[in-house]
Amino acid sequence: MTTDTAVASSPLGRGKRRKNLTLLTASTAMDNAESSVVTVLFPLMREAMGLTSSALGTIVAVGKVVGMVSGVPWVFLARRYSRKVVLATCSGFWGLWVIAAGFSTSFTQFVLLYAIAAAGFAGAGPIALEILGDIYGDSRRGGATGLMYGGVALIAGVSAPLFGLLSHSADGWRYGYVASGAICLVVGLLVLMLLDDPDQADDETRPALDAVERRARSVRSGLRELFATGTFRLILVQRLCSGQNVIMSFGVVFLVEERGFSTATASVVALPFAVGYLTGTVLGGRINDRVHHLRPHSGRIVMLQVSQLAFAVVAFATTQVAWGGGIAVYAVLFALLGLLQGQVPIVNRPLIMAVVRPELRALAFAVSVTTVEALAYAGYALLVGHLGDTIGLQKALLAITVLLTAANGLASAALYRPYARDTTAIAVPRTTSLSPRPPSL
């Protein structure tokens, strides 16, 4: 893997960087596209198989738990073999299992095939983020990350209403899965043919990097170094206590069950959520880079806290107030939720990149994104599904997306001191070499 110095002088031009960013976005979006089929068309699955709201929590949780276990092995396969080939496999060719899930004849069979599919997609995020970190320098990673996650949200937002149209057919959820799996296969081919992976360093830096690579290949050594970083440990706790993600997993079902909308109508909110998310990641990424430039030791954490507390306020208005005026009011509220949710990856991912050595970033993201975040997502999905059956989705979402998010936003203040210390420590080894200003997006 390359160092930040090498990255800054990367021979990749702006056009190639943008092409790579597009491919990384598409590969990361495949997991979201699969999830969109479940969240939007679950009412159809529920009727076809006689399910309850807790079944949706089970589906989401199984996918996240399996991804939590499988994420790290994919990362180490990417270290042993070509990152491009591994990424094309886990984010693209694994779509065959998605197609198979569309032909399930029972809920048990569906969950099994869904779990196998999720096991592949779990590897895409960490590998894509590692490549992204190699392409862009520290001062541009917020904007680049924002573009990638904004694109992911936009793809999910556009696909959700299209999947919603399939609700007019009893087998619409099956058609959605077959279509989603076919798109995965196309993305896998594009990644394999077109992605430029800047994973080779210059000859003069290769000996030192080889020594670091040998150490990074050791799981025990890598994990020991990661958990010795105070900021990284606190980020894991912060993500473990985050219940924001379940809002879209249950958003459509909430509007159907609690507000009386049809599935096709309720699925419309996915698009404004995605547009809001795109705006939050793209513009938020630019603002994040600017705030980070002005306040390098605290700016990102300020943005993290503000976005979480504001999200809790809007989530309360969305889930606890019965608005008149049809779906339009909820479309606006979900757009605001997307705007604020979009702040999470453009702050969280650069936070990790800033305190972890480049050689350990993929492992760090495998631990934080596909393990800890997946564990939290799975747990809260199960909890919301169970509470939805017992006390109703409205009260369940109040506890998880409103109260827990507000508490987490306040507690994130614990990051200020260790982040300032760890960013200084990680920068010390590179003070002897002058890096040119990273190229713009």
Side-chain angles (χ1 to χ4, degrees), residues 37-39 41-60 101 104-112 114 170 173-174 177 250 253 256-257 385-386 388-389 393:
V37 182
V38 172
T39 57
L41 296 178
F42 176 75
L44 289 180
M45 296 179 63
R46 179 179 57 192
E47 293 177 7
M49 299 182 181
L51 307 175
T52 63
S53 295
S54 61
L56 177 57
T58 300
I59 295 171
V60 174
S104 301
T105 57
S106 67
F107 181 67
T108 300
Q109 187 181 80
F110 171 81
V111 171
L112 176 61
Y114 183 87
W173 67 274
R174 297 185 186 276
Y177 264 88
F250 289 88
V253 178
V256 172
E257 291 188 356
H386 175 72
D389 284 343
L393 280 177

Side-chain angles (χ1 to χ4, degrees), residues 265-281:
T265 300
S267 66
V268 169
V269 301
L271 182 55
F273 181 90
V275 173
Y277 192 97
L278 176 63
T279 304
T281 53

Side-chain angles (χ1 to χ4, degrees), residues 321-344:
V321 180
W323 299 94
I327 198 65
V329 176
Y330 290 99
V332 173
L333 290 171
F334 271 88
L336 291 174
L337 286 174
L339 178 73
L340 297 167
Q341 181 75 351
Q343 301 299 303
V344 174

Side-chain angles (χ1 to χ4, degrees), residues 250 253-255 257-259 315-316 318-323 330 384 387-389 391-402:
F250 289 88
V253 178
F254 166 78
L255 292 176
E257 291 188 356
E258 301 288 341
R259 299 295 181 258
F316 178 86
T318 304
T319 62
Q320 305 306 306
V321 180
W323 299 94
Y330 290 99
V384 170
L387 292 177
D389 284 343
I391 63 175
L393 280 177
Q394 181 167 315
K395 292 181 179 178
L397 292 175
L398 171 65
I400 303 303
T401 65
V402 178

